[in-house]
Amino acid sequence: MDLQNILFYVFAALTLGCGALVIANPFSRNPVTSAMFLVLTIVSMAGLFVLLHAFFLAAVQILVYAGAVIVLFLFVISLLDLKAEATRRVKLFGLLAGVVAVGAILTIFLKNLGATLFSNDSKPMVEGGTSELGKVLFTNYVLPFEVVSVLLLVAMIGVILLSKKKLD
Amino acid sequence: MKLELLPWLVLFMPLAAAVFIALFTLRLRNVSSFISIGAIVAGFILTVVFINANGWQPTPGESVRQWLPVDGLNVEFGLRLDPLSLMMMLIVTGVGGAIHIYSRGYMHDDSGMARFFAKLSLFTFSMLGIVLANNFIQMFIFWELVGVSSYLLIGFWFEKPSAGDAAKKAFIVNRLGDFGFLLGILMVWGLLGSLNFSTLQGLISQNPAALGASATIAGLLVFCGAVGKSAQFPLHVWLPDAMEGPTPVSALIHAATMVAAGVYMLCRIFFLLNTPALEVVAYIGGFTALLAAVIAVQQDDIKRIIAYSTLSQLGYMVMSVGLHGQTPAMFHLTTHAFFKALLFLSAGSVIIALHHEQDIWKMGALRQKMPITFVTFLVGGLALSGIWPFAGFYSKDSILAQALSRHDFEGYLLFAVGVFVAGLTTFYIFRLFFVVFCGKEKSDTASHAHESPLVMTLPLIVLAVFSLIGGLIGVEGVYDRIFLAESVHSAGFIAALFGPFINAPLAASLGILAFFIGLGGAYALYAKADKDPLPEMLGGLATAMKNKFYFDEIYEATFVRAHDFVAAVADWFDRWIVEGFCIGLIRGGTDLTGRGLRFLQTGNLQTYAFLFVLGVAVALYFVLR
Amino acid sequence: MQVGLEHYLTVSFVLFALGLFGVIMRRNLLVIYMSLEMMLNAANLALVAFSRFNNKLDGQVLVFFIITVAAAEVSVGLALIVALYRRRRSAHVEDLTSLKF
Amino acid sequence: MNASLMTLEIWVIALGIVLMLADFFFGVTPQRKKALAYLGIAALAVMLLTLLGSDAPTGTAFNGAFVQDPLSIFFKRFFLVAAILVLFMTSEFSEKISTAVPEFYSLVIFALVGMLFAASSNDFAMLFVSIELITVTFYVLVSYQRGKLSSLEAGVKYLIIGALSSAFMVFGIALIWGTTGQINFTELAAVVPQFLTNKIFLAGVLFLLTGLGFKIAVVPFQIWAPDVYQGAPTPTTAFLAIGSKAAGFVLLLRVLFTAVPDVAHHWSTYLIVISGLTILYGNLCAIPQRNLKRLLGYSSIAHAGYLLLGVAALSANGQSAVMYYLAGYLFTIVAAFTVITLVMQHLDNEDVSALAGLNQRSPLLATTMTFAMVSLAGLPPLAGFFGKFLLLKAIIAEGPANYGYYYLAFVALAGIIISFYYYFGVIRAIYWSRETPDLSPIRLSGAAKFSIALCIAGMVWLGAFPNVVVNLADQAARALK
Amino acid sequence: MSILTHIFLCPLIAALVLLFVPRNYRVIIRFIALAGTFASMVLAIKMFWLFVPGASGFQFENRVPWVESLGISYHVGVDGLNVGLILMGAVVVFAAALCSWEIQTREKEFYILLLIMSGGILGAFASLDLFFFYFLHELALVPTFIMIGVWGRGERKNYATFQITLYLSIGALLALLGIIGLYVKSGANTFDIPQMIAYVKTNPMALHAQNFVFPLLLFGFGILVSLWPFHSWAPLGYGSAPSPTAMIHAGVLKKFGLYGLIRIALPLMPQAAQSWMSLLSWLCLGNILYVGWVAMRQRDLNLLIGNSSVAHMGFIFLGIASLNLIGVTGAVFIMVAHGFLAALTFALSGFIYQRTGTLQMVELGGLCRPLRFIGTALVMAAMAGCGLPGFANFVGEVTVFFGAWNRFPAVTVLAVWGGLVIGGIYMTRAVRTILHGPVPAKFAGLEDAGLWRKFPYALLLAGLLVFGFFPKLLTNQIEPDATKIISIYQQVPVAAANTGNSTLACVPVSNFKAAPRDFQAASIDNRRTAIENQ
């Protein structure tokens, strides 16, 4: 087993383990804990990205997600002071139903994944470097890129409108 | 004017009169009555003119317009002019005319006189239509119209509940008969493909087995119509009740014309009836004659007694048809028209004189106060009883003779019935006669009675004359022309006078014997009676007779109750099963589902997300299965 | 055993399922929102893995868009949650049931 | 590359920015705010007439990512008309928002941009970003009445379920692209037959459709709709019901019939079942409903089901029927919501009883509402009838291939009949309800009258002279092949 | 534009004009409504007069393409089947407008709806395009619901509205499915009825398609016509409806389904028709007998009339089911006759309700005395209702009986019982309780209809009587075109319809059920001529 494979398993385990802790931490139901584990998940996923040679995205992942999104979350959590509500009991039926539904999707999917053969004959060549990605982004994908700019504008307006304290 | 148009004119003048009165002169009593009387009298005259010009042609002449031609169903509107119909026309317009005139007096004080005459004219039109019809559908149409005009006339005093009920009853019972009639017509048409009487007759004479196996059924179904209209057992119940109408109506419809239509129809379609069917016809007629006569013995209403006598006499006629004796039947029909109209009108005269009192036990001793009525009634009674030389004698005798001439069990049995009924007839009519005209006054109104005006008595006299001589004026010969094409005997007056004794001595003598027995019985029991002695003598039987053998009750308990029951079930089913259960279930189910489904929408995001995921899971399962 | 596409996809999908589970089970809107982010990340992982094994960069570009859009969405969503909290003093889904049936 | 095809989009984006900025220069009086709306309307109308006239150019741009064909032109016209009508409604509604009105206008315009791009998108990247543009804009639009808890609650619900569906969609796109390696619809179609047995690919398509299903609110992704319809500001609800749904449909049509036509044929039975369930769910739940907007929410689910009939038919006739039906639905639903906006201006609840005595308060509004309900119920002579007629026709035509279509037709029938019950309930509330609490006449501005007249005209015109739109829809449907 | 267009546009234009008349100009509103309907009546009479019986094809035809891509065009025209219906419809509509004086509230809306209803249904009868045929009927149908809901009477009004709406909608939608199915399956790619028929002549529809579409049409139209057991809306609805609505609906609108069956279903799907007709014949007994019995139990005059009107539908169905010229002609005849009759009875009951405030029969009585004209008219209506000669109904019913006799003898027997006896019973009972007997004191002073008010009743009665006395006026027009429809059945392959196997082998005429009769009739005709020649 080469290093890459070992690293994959490490990162995968980290990703999934931390992911599980985000949603169901047996010790704490505090959203802050969840947020922190989400950071870990995202960072270990960035590791997986690196293993897949998507260097630029790994960086973006850490920058945008861990650096911005999660910070935003934490900011909001502290703003809202949600501690008091963190400990409500989960209903057994709800748990069961959730497990069944998600479990069903998971099982079906994994079963079919196992049954599907991917043609792996070509050696992976692609490198997700900044320049390669940039080239594609600004040639083939310039239009969605521009549309995303509108989206960001809308998000900006929206955030301002929604979070303005006074309803003037 | 073309001769062919005359019968059309006769037919439609009464209709025109009725429509004219209904539309324009409902408020003008006298004008209305003159229009109506004018129409029928003119009709009588025109008929006479036509017969004079045309003679009694035995071959049927037809005057035809197309009415409803659809594919194989070709309904014509045609007039069939043969001695049978021409004679009937004379009766309808003649006797009817007399009754119309009489009505002017009888209805003098009634506010609805114009309406009355309109209806009378409508009836005349319908009756003439039956008489002149040349095909089944046309006959059925007028058959129904006669039914409805009788309905209207019986219910003339509609504010009286009993009149309304009687009208309704008459209509429905007639409808029962018509039901069979129409089915019969359908059957005949289905088998032979034609509705025209002459065509049908031709087909049957060409091939007597044309009707095949269903011949008897078809014949009997058609006979049902006659049973209804001529009030034969078991549909006889409407006729006595129909006496709720004004007396001229009883005279016109329920004695002289409408009830005779059944017999007339039987003679008209005689060729359709095969032997088994005729047997049934004969027995039904005989039984009706007997039953009605028995019931008549214990009735107290002057008009009801006469009504039952009508039933009984109609039974004679039907029986006669059943015995292959159309001529005697029609002959009796003719004389019966005279004397029964006479009896009714005389009774009406009595009723008017007593201010609408109809109970015979409240009359009495009217002989002196109403001499003309007394005489005419006596003539009518004698004619009804069938004593020589009154008209009734000849016709009744010919029926009895017809029965005897059969020389079989059926003939003898019915002959016996006929003779017995003849005796009963004499008995009850003279019971009536003695109680009403003889004895002493049994109420105040009876003592203040006085004779009716001329407009009423004149028709009485005319009818009385015909009741006397009706048997001798050659009516029979006219009928023979069509029914027995070969032998048209034209005997002299004296031969005609004593003809029955020569031709069928047994029938004639037994008939006269029955008369005297009946007369004697009536005299012994009723000449001086204040109340009816018979109930004491007969006990329960008398009660049964008085109650008409409970036919009304039986019908009430069976036919009416059954229909009402089925109707109740249907209504219940409709209300609770169709409307309540089925619709209610669907509606309620939908509503409940809606209300229930709504609770999926708990408002809780978690539930929503769960349902969303569940939906994906299910979809995934099916898609990747 | 060589780590292949399947492995990455498995990880990706398990992560996706975890996020899904979080959305269903957690009551705190913020945590639900985090779970949603996790699901988006799972998709990102799948795209990147496919991109590598398909030898095409389009997947990575898509990931780029997804990250951007997700960031925008998060900002709007969090602003909304804050606004809600200001009104309702709660960020729990049970308290958001005035619209129902 | 043929970027000139995008002139319209560029102008609309510019318009959105102008409206947003205009606030600074225009002042804040309500009249001026209304004037802004009219400006936007006028601008959109001009664009509609000049840029999307009968000779609008067609073609593709950006490596086939952007396509301008009869289908997209049809939908672009549709979206523009919808935006115009919604802007009218918004201008009447502005009193209730009270704050940041110009931003509302510009957000409507930006949502319109998203829809316009959706109509033209021909690859997954465009699909994703345009749909997200619409969704994110609607997050804001739905929760715009921050003062009202219900608006915020609706916003949050829309947000969470929307994000959830986005996640599915993204994952779906990942799987599709991953298995096939194709991102462009047209190119994808060519390789789809090889992947029909690939379960991962199929799961991807399913996940993608999940995202679209959320937009058009079909069972089982319909659950958000009533709550959000009820809570959102009325113009938003209208835009959601018509614009967002139509965007979902145009993408659904493209994906199903341009990108993965073979899968669509493969799945006809599922489409049938889903369509039937949607119809039943929407109609059944609406029966006991008293809240007018919620009622229309349920009814919009039902209508999504009817529209799916046309999709499920998998035929050009069905697709053209979908488009015709949407056109009729546009005028109808906007008319209904306009009436609600005007009637409920000063009321907090939207109970059906608020319509009591409307025929005396304002005969015009009463007539409009009646027309809208009659058209929704699918009765002649209005647009809804002919639309349903076309849909049913499309369904029955496919009957011999799959008897499920016959059953579906009967289900649709049952749905239509159930719907009579509640639509007539609304009419009844207008004309003969017992309680008439308020009989003060409602004053209508000229603009409101104009927009109502436009809606009625649209309903009647589509119902009485469907020829033009039917031809356009046929043309558009042909473009899908 | 053809005269037909004018006939049905007159009321619609009047409705449009009314929209712009202020609501307090009551006289003007009434006048416009009357003018609109009167104009269409006059035109209809003119059309009936100009109509040439038996001319080939349709008359007064007008065709304008509407949606070319679907083959929908505005196409109107008359032949013998609908010429009488349009005449009857126009007369009834005018009478209904005259009778609308009883409406006191929201007159403007009422008249608008009435006019829409009138125009719609007249247009539907004139249409030769399936789409418009259906479309215009729906247009007429919707106002019915609203009118019952708003102007209806009785405490069960809401329930009645609910039921009639649901039932009729279900019926209409089933029929719509059928019509669409017809379009799709016939393959003619047109909604034009004559073209479809011509196309189907050469390319008959597949059997399974027929068996899918025909029951849809049969039951869809059947529900619209209150075919048993889908009848319960009718008495209830009519009982609650304001009388002009009941007049138009029961008189005219209801005929649409029957007309549709004859116009569309019979010529296009002969095999399916063959196999479904025996079922229909039994169902129609449900109407005639069962509903007749139900009618006997009614205590409310309107319910009784409603039920009897349902019962009459049975005769029409029987006529159609017999699938021969006589039966179908009779069915069309009753359709016209019953239109006049239903309108007349509902108008009369409306009058009585207006004057007495009740329709409970036990509370009424002896009304012939104070209401002479109305009483007489009601007696006549009742008599017409139980199939009395002189009124048009008789002609139709008898014709139907003759038509059905050879095909369904048992059914015909029961139908005759229902028509003659049960009909007689409930009609005379009603007359007895309402019109005969003593007058309750409170009704003694009732005022009879004035001259103007009498007019609609007289008009309708005249219609009944004219066609009752001169049926040829109508049958001559019906017959040639009914022949065209029925002629298919003379050479139709019966095969699969009866035996269930789907071979479309042409079975010779003699295998056809009705054929023996025709054969027999022909031979009888020969014999008859032979006799006459002798």
Side-chain angles (χ1 to χ4, degrees), chain B residues 598-599 601-606 608-610 613, chain C residues 20 23-27 93 96-97 99-101:
Chain B
R598 212 160 61 115
F599 285 104
Q601 220 85 32
T602 56
N604 191 326
L605 245 180
Q606 214 114 47
Y608 291 7
F610 169 68
V613 172
Chain C
L20 210 52
V23 175
I24 296 177
M25 295 317 299
R26 294 305 295 262
R27 290 174 157 62
V93 288
L96 279 183
T97 54
L99 302 170
K100 60 184 169 187
F101 304 138

Side-chain angles (χ1 to χ4, degrees), chain B residues 108-188:
Chain B
H108 195 261
D109 299 328
D110 198 284
S111 61
M113 192 163 98
R115 186 162 58 92
F116 181 78
F117 273 103
K119 291 176 178 178
L120 223 47
S121 282
L122 179 65
F123 172 80
T124 312
F125 164 67
S126 323
M127 190 64 212
L128 286 171
I130 293 187
V131 169
L132 288 168
N134 80 329
N135 66 65
F136 261 127
I137 287 294
Q138 192 186 342
M139 181 175 263
F140 183 77
I141 287 172
F142 287 102
W143 200 256
E144 290 274 285
L145 282 180
V146 161
V148 77
S149 31
S150 123
Y151 170 79
L152 294 172
L153 284 167
I154 297 171
F156 179 73
W157 286 314
F158 57 80
E159 279 163 311
K160 261 190 358 196
S162 59
D165 289 337
K168 191 180 83 179
K169 186 171 172 185
F171 188 81
I172 293 171
V173 174
N174 262 305
R175 271 283 163 117
L176 286 173
D178 297 351
F179 166 69
F181 190 24
L182 183 55
L183 288 186
I185 295 173
L186 284 169
M187 206 160 191
V188 169

Side-chain angles (χ1 to χ4, degrees), chain B residues 409-430:
Chain B
F409 171 73
E410 185 197 358
Y412 293 130
L413 178 65
L414 290 174
F415 175 74
V417 169
V419 172
F420 178 64
V421 171
L424 271 181
T425 309
T426 317
F427 177 75
Y428 65 69
I429 199 67
F430 278 96

Side-chain angles (χ1 to χ4, degrees), chain E residues 119-352:
Chain E
I121 192 58
L122 290 176
F125 281 135
S127 286
L128 291 178
D129 183 277
L130 262 186
F131 180 83
F132 274 95
F133 175 70
Y134 181 84
F135 177 90
L136 290 166
H137 169 257
E138 279 280 294
L139 187 64
L141 196 55
V142 178
T144 320
F145 310 147
I146 302 175
M147 284 157 101
I148 296 176
V150 182
W151 292 273
R153 55 190 175 218
E155 70 260 35
R156 302 233 287 162
K157 174 175 100 174
N158 284 345
Y159 181 62
T161 316
F162 163 81
Q163 214 184 29
I164 198 172
T165 309
L166 283 197
Y167 257 110
L168 295 188
S169 311
I170 292 174
L173 286 170
L174 282 180
L176 176 64
L177 274 195
I179 287 173
I180 293 173
L182 211 52
Y183 168 78
V184 170
K185 310 284 177 185
S186 72
N189 263 329
T190 174
F191 278 91
D192 197 80
I193 298 172
Q195 284 182 16
M196 267 175 132
I197 293 175
Y199 181 86
V200 165
K201 277 226 172 83
T202 47
N203 315 300
M205 280 170 69
L207 205 62
H208 69 89
Q210 290 194 20
N211 278 331
F212 170 71
V213 175
F214 191 82
L216 281 176
L217 286 182
L218 178 62
F219 289 107
F221 286 142
I223 292 173
L224 291 179
V225 192
S226 63
L227 173 64
W228 187 87
F230 312 109
H231 63 281
S232 67
W233 59 268
L236 193 62
Y238 296 149
S240 309
S243 48
T245 312
M247 285 168 75
I248 299 188
H249 192 278
V252 194
L253 218 55
K254 219 181 182 184
K255 308 298 176 299
F256 169 82
L258 299 157
Y259 172 66
L261 275 182
I262 298 176
R263 169 68 84 212
I264 301 166
L266 294 192
L268 288 177
M269 292 168 290
Q271 283 92 347
Q274 296 264 329
S275 52
W276 282 90
M277 279 314 171
S278 59
L279 173 70
L280 181 63
S281 77
W282 288 103
L283 286 183
C284 79
L285 271 190
N287 280 58
I288 299 172
L289 286 182
Y290 171 94
V291 179
W293 279 318
V294 174
M296 280 175 62
R297 292 286 295 180
Q298 299 308 318
R299 302 277 170 270
D300 181 291
L301 177 61
N302 249 4
L303 288 181
L304 183 135
I305 299 174
N307 273 305
S308 94
S309 145
V310 175
H312 280 116
M313 295 301 114
F315 297 115
I316 308 180
F317 278 119
L318 183 60
I320 295 174
S322 56
L323 281 182
N324 56 39
L325 189 50
I326 303 178
V328 171
T329 309
V332 177
F333 203 99
I334 307 186
M335 278 154 72
V336 176
H338 181 260
F340 289 118
L341 174 63
L344 177 64
T345 43
F346 282 114
L348 290 169
S349 81
F351 185 93
I352 291 175

Side-chain angles (χ1 to χ4, degrees), chain D residues 366-454:
Chain D
T367 314
T368 313
M369 198 65 175
T370 312
F371 268 52
M373 290 301 133
V374 166
S375 179
L376 282 175
L379 293 169
L382 302 179
F385 170 72
F386 198 71
K388 288 206 174 76
F389 175 79
L390 289 176
L391 287 169
L392 286 173
K393 185 172 99 32
I395 282 290
I396 293 176
E398 301 302 313
N402 183 344
Y403 279 112
Y405 287 113
Y406 290 143
Y407 296 121
L408 183 57
F410 284 111
V411 168
L413 226 61
I416 293 171
I417 287 155
I418 297 170
S419 73
F420 286 167
Y421 180 74
Y422 55 85
Y423 291 134
F424 275 100
V426 174
I427 297 178
R428 181 152 72 175
I430 297 173
Y431 287 97
W432 63 95
S433 64
R434 296 259 174 272
E435 71 277 16
T436 44
D438 176 19
L439 285 179
S440 56
I442 298 172
R443 297 171 145 250
L444 299 180
S445 67
K449 279 183 186 161
F450 181 73
S451 75
I452 283 176
L454 220 58

Side-chain angles (χ1 to χ4, degrees), chain D residues 298-367:
Chain D
Y298 282 119
S299 110
S300 93
I301 296 175
H303 283 278
Y306 298 139
L307 286 161
L308 270 187
L309 293 176
V311 178
L314 304 176
S315 64
N317 279 334
Q319 292 143 16
S320 112
V322 168
M323 285 176 250
Y324 178 88
Y325 194 87
L326 273 171
Y329 188 61
L330 162 68
F331 293 107
T332 311
I333 205 78
V334 171
F337 278 112
T338 307
V339 174
I340 294 176
T341 306
L342 293 167
V343 174
M344 318 241 170
Q345 234 160 2
H346 309 294
L347 291 173
D348 267 341
N349 73 335
E350 290 106 357
D351 200 80
V352 174
S353 61
L355 293 176
L358 184 62
N359 64 327
Q360 285 158 49
R361 301 178 65 193
S362 166
L364 178 63
L365 290 186
T367 314

